[in-house]
Amino acid sequence: MLLETTASVDQEVNPWESAAHRFDEAAELLGLDDGMRKVLKRPAMELSVNFPVVLDDGRIEVFTGYRVQHSIARGPAKGGIRFAPDVSLDEVRALAAWMTWKCAVVNIPFGGGKGGVICEPHLLSDGELERITRRYTAEISEFIGPERDVPAPDVNTNEQTMAWIMDTYSMHQRHTVTAVVTGKPLELGGSRGRPEATGRGCMFVSIQALRKLGLPVEGARVVIQGFGNVGGMAARLMSRAGFRIVCIVEWDGAVYNPRGLDIEALTKYRSETGSVRGFPGAGDMDKDEALLLDCDILIPAARENVITSSNADRINAKILCEGANGPTTFVADSILAEKKVFVIPDILANAGGVTVSYFEWVQDRQGYFWTEERVNEELEEIMVASFDAVTHYAERHSVNNRTAAYMLALDRVANAIRRRGLYA
Ligand code: GLU
């Protein structure tokens, strides 16, 4: 474990280093041969595009976008597209690999991919965002498709973004292709339950973890970082289910009430004021301190590198449920293990989103749409079965949950590649 003791800060926070480190550890424990390691480690395809867009004031700006397909061994590449100023190729690579492992953990027939565009979405108008999305789609359109690579929403992208991608791709094909993206609006072939799916999945695995630790769901104290696609939905669903959401942590501050926050009221307050800060009926708190609160479940549901060597030893949660991708660095992993925090790793905890994306893709291809009850029931079945598979694997092989999830996933993908054989 050389990197664990000597990792530089750069190595620790580079998502690709984190992904590679965890891959190496799982591959070693599985006894994967050298050739297979080489195949699985590097992304199968990396596309980088620079494209011009006319801004509202008439200026031309050139944007950089990526689409990485890490693996298509088990099916089409699958994974979201994020818009953010700090998107990098290394980040998209790591996220693409995590999608491969995530789809394998929940055993849905997809490989892994990810995309990103370097931009500052909050400073762009809707028209500018639409032009960026459409031009980026045109640039990557030869590489995506229902059988090839199926994008979805991620950080700062949403149903509307997916509608633009679907429309642009369809215009190029000269017919409507709904299954080219998931996370679409309902009226364009979206699935019921998709917007809530990642948060709902976090809730299902949190319930399983509480049961495993012999703790009650009713009144379980939850701290959630992020109040968007994942964190906002998890907060809403979990507070309705009897959890006590004691703290919401956002990029500009946190609000805390040990008796539990009124999430509906907080949602309304945030949409009116643009911030959670100053919410009546709760105290404001420092956002870094908030992650260290004594609680039953901590759900980081924002970005990477939130739990690092600088705060892991002060985490006071019994359960860490990773709603975001890569919120914990590999150095922090071993600190959390020593503290006996029960970790539900990202590739399991946040797999509810891609699982319902799979349902959406199936529904689009069949042209037959499910009820929300059916979506939620089938999601629960998959999340609970995957949680059991990972935790039993961990117990059987005396490894932590994250390593177990990686080992299970690597083994499934490696088996698919062995069965297919290499074409040469
Ligand atoms: N962006 C989500 C994730 O990281 C969803 C991906 C998808 O539905 O394809 O899992």
Side-chain angles (χ1 to χ4, degrees):
M1 297 280 141
L2 192 67
L3 278 177
E4 274 185 14
T5 48
T6 61
S8 67
V9 176
D10 281 355
Q11 275 175 321
E12 183 182 356
V13 299
N14 179 316
W16 183 236
E17 298 268 0
S18 256
H21 185 86
R22 282 153 180 166
F23 171 88
D24 287 339
E25 190 185 9
E28 189 66 36
L29 287 166
L30 272 177
L32 267 194
D33 62 272
D34 242 27
M36 189 58 80
R37 286 190 206 198
K38 283 185 198 157
V39 175
L40 291 176
K41 196 161 182 173
R42 307 241 308 258
M45 192 210 75
E46 301 180 349
L47 182 65
S48 167
V49 291
N50 299 306
F51 56 91
V53 172
V54 180
L55 301 179
D56 289 348
D57 63 8
R59 276 185 305 125
I60 292 173
E61 191 56 81
V62 173
F63 292 89
T64 300
Y66 306 105
R67 184 72 191 172
V68 172
Q69 295 171 0
H70 172 262
S71 169
I72 53 166
R74 299 177 66 255
K78 185 83 194 78
I81 291 171
R82 61 175 57 181
F83 287 176
D86 55 348
V87 163
S88 68
L89 187 53
D90 263 357
E91 183 192 37
V92 177
R93 276 185 183 130
L95 290 160
W98 285 331
M99 287 309 301
T100 303
W101 312 135
K102 193 186 298 187
C103 293
V105 166
V106 287
N107 215 358
I108 56 177
F110 289 133
K114 202 82 175 195
V117 176
I118 304 173
C119 64
E120 180 47 273
H122 306 293
L123 302 179
L124 294 161
S125 69
D126 283 353
E128 289 168 334
L129 282 172
E130 176 171 356
R131 293 196 291 281
I132 290 170
T133 304
R134 287 188 182 278
R135 181 64 191 249
Y136 168 70
T137 305
E139 299 286 336
I140 66 168
S141 68
E142 281 165 70
F143 302 93
I144 61 174
E147 309 286 349
R148 305 187 71 162
D149 183 353
V150 185
D154 199 77
V155 175
N156 295 326
T157 58
N158 55 28
E159 289 190 350
Q160 183 57 67
T161 326
M162 298 307 115
W164 291 326
I165 296 176
M166 189 279 255
D167 182 66
T168 307
Y169 182 82
S170 298
M171 295 312 287
H172 282 243
Q173 301 295 314
R174 310 305 299 154
H175 64 101
T176 297
V177 187
T178 53
V180 64
V181 278
T182 58
K184 298 179 296 294
L186 263 189
E187 55 269 50
L188 297 178
S191 175
R192 294 199 162 72
R194 177 63 185 86
E196 301 85 0
T198 313
R200 195 180 292 278
C202 288
M203 176 174 79
F204 289 143
V205 291
S206 294
I207 293 172
Q208 294 308 305
L210 286 169
R211 284 199 184 130
K212 210 166 174 62
L213 300 184
L215 298 168
V217 169
E218 192 60 42
R221 297 157 306 151
V222 186
V223 173
I224 302 181
Q225 183 198 40
F227 204 49
N229 289 346
V230 181
M233 284 302 175
R236 227 153 298 155
L237 296 169
M238 290 173 86
S239 75
R240 272 184 224 149
F243 290 82
R244 193 159 25 122
I245 315 299
V246 293
C247 184
I248 294 288
V249 193
E250 273 274 74
W251 61 276
D252 61 343
V255 280
Y256 175 59
N257 183 344
R259 292 185 308 281
L261 297 161
D262 178 343
I263 297 299
E264 304 296 337
L266 181 60
T267 308
K268 194 161 169 274
Y269 177 84
R270 211 269 305 254
S271 73
E272 283 164 8
T273 65
S275 174
V276 295
R277 279 185 306 165
F279 175 59
D284 281 354
M285 196 173 181
D286 176 79
K287 63 181 166 53
D288 297 327
E289 291 297 312
L291 296 177
L292 311 176
L293 281 170
D294 180 17
C295 63
D296 297 300
I297 309 175
L298 171 62
I299 308 184
R303 290 288 295 268
E304 297 95 71
N305 301 325
V306 174
I307 300 169
T308 68
S309 55
S310 65
N311 63 0
D313 61 329
R314 288 174 295 140
I315 295 289
N316 266 307
K318 297 188 178 76
I319 296 165
L320 176 68
C321 175
E322 296 184 334
N325 292 308
T328 308
T329 66
F330 65 88
V331 185
D333 271 347
S334 44
I335 304 172
L336 294 178
E338 251 167 59
K339 288 177 62 90
K340 305 227 173 329
V341 177
F342 187 92
V343 176
I344 315 174
D346 50 4
I347 56 174
L348 168 64
N350 70 39
V354 75
T355 300
V356 176
S357 278
Y358 165 54
F359 300 158
E360 181 173 331
W361 179 78
V362 167
Q363 292 170 75
D364 286 341
R365 285 156 55 104
Q366 281 196 328
Y368 178 77
F369 291 87
W370 304 1
T371 61
E372 184 158 358
E373 289 71 43
R374 178 171 174 192
V375 169
N376 293 343
E377 266 169 40
E378 297 211 14
L379 172 64
E380 181 168 13
E381 225 171 85
I382 291 184
M383 294 306 293
V384 171
S386 307
F387 179 92
D388 288 347
V390 168
T391 51
H392 293 159
Y393 197 103
E395 284 153 20
R396 215 170 45 247
H397 294 88
S398 307
V399 292
N400 65 40
N401 290 340
R402 190 187 313 280
T403 306
Y406 270 77
M407 289 174 74
L408 198 69
L410 258 67
D411 201 33
R412 284 186 179 153
V413 182
N415 272 329
I417 293 171
R418 279 189 208 105
R419 296 295 277 194
R420 287 176 68 148
L422 290 188
Y423 174 75

